[in-house]
Amino acid sequence: MATNRTFTMIKPDGVENGHIGGILNMITEGGFKIVSLKLTQLTVADAQQFYAIHSARPFFGELVEFMTRGPIVAAILEKENAVEDFRTLIGATNPADAAEGTIRKKYAKSIGENAVHGSDSDENAAIEGAFHFSGREQF
Ligand code: GDP
């Protein structure tokens, strides 16, 4: 499997609750190399664009409100099979269903406020990484 990249955010709940360090530690312990990293905050327009695929869902308004209410940590991660392995490390969307040892099992409180984002495909990882980082910020 080729070495490749995925994109993650530590969501506002993870930042508010003081879990930046704990989550980044699980990421690096999981074998991912951090190649881009920043603390930033999404505007409403950013969140609407980022989650456009969910715009027809009943929770869309709640999701945009949540994702814009405070700072997030954005990062690009590198590892063999990065997208799939990172989805395994974060666990199920609903932390009630997340496996032991996953980031969401440890840090997420609900299906909405679930601590972390992980890209669902190589294509989206590239789009989402480019949304947050210029070429010279990707090491
Ligand atoms: P993910 O790929 O595991 O993040 O899950 P999805 O792509 O299905 O959903 C994107 C994000 O929307 C999730 O991570 C949650 O933050 C949010 N979300 C998904 N389902 C619900 C829901 O039923 N209620 C609320 N409030 N938020 C949800």
Side-chain angles (χ1 to χ4, degrees):
M1 273 170 268
T3 295
N4 63 5
R5 292 181 172 196
T6 191
F7 173 78
T8 185
M9 292 184 286
I10 301 175
K11 297 184 178 184
D13 60 322
V15 174
E16 284 161 12
N17 295 326
H19 298 318
I20 295 174
I23 292 171
L24 289 180
N25 191 49
M26 285 184 76
I27 289 171
T28 51
E29 288 291 313
F32 293 85
K33 180 178 166 194
I34 296 169
V35 296
S36 303
L37 183 69
K38 73 168 76 162
L39 186 69
T40 184
Q41 185 160 358
L42 299 178
T43 65
V44 168
D46 289 338
Q48 286 172 337
Q49 183 182 335
F50 195 91
Y51 284 110
I53 194 169
H54 295 305
S55 60
R57 308 284 285 277
F59 58 82
F60 185 64
E62 203 177 309
L63 176 59
V64 170
E65 194 174 327
F66 162 57
M67 287 302 299
T68 57
R69 79 172 183 218
I72 58 142
V73 172
I76 298 175
L77 308 174
E78 190 172 86
K79 185 184 183 295
E80 276 183 15
N81 203 32
V83 167
E84 191 182 341
D85 285 3
F86 192 67
R87 297 288 301 189
T88 301
L89 179 64
I90 67 178
T93 308
N94 187 343
D97 302 327
E100 286 299 333
T102 62
I103 293 174
R104 283 171 168 164
K105 178 73 176 180
K106 185 162 187 186
Y107 292 115
K109 293 285 183 284
S110 67
I111 191 169
E113 303 202 4
N114 58 7
V116 279
H117 166 80
S119 303
D120 63 4
S121 66
D122 287 344
E123 185 190 5
N124 283 336
I127 292 169
E128 293 170 1
F131 185 87
H132 285 278
F133 296 100
S134 68
R136 54 191 288 270
E137 293 173 311
Q138 300 183 34
F139 295 96

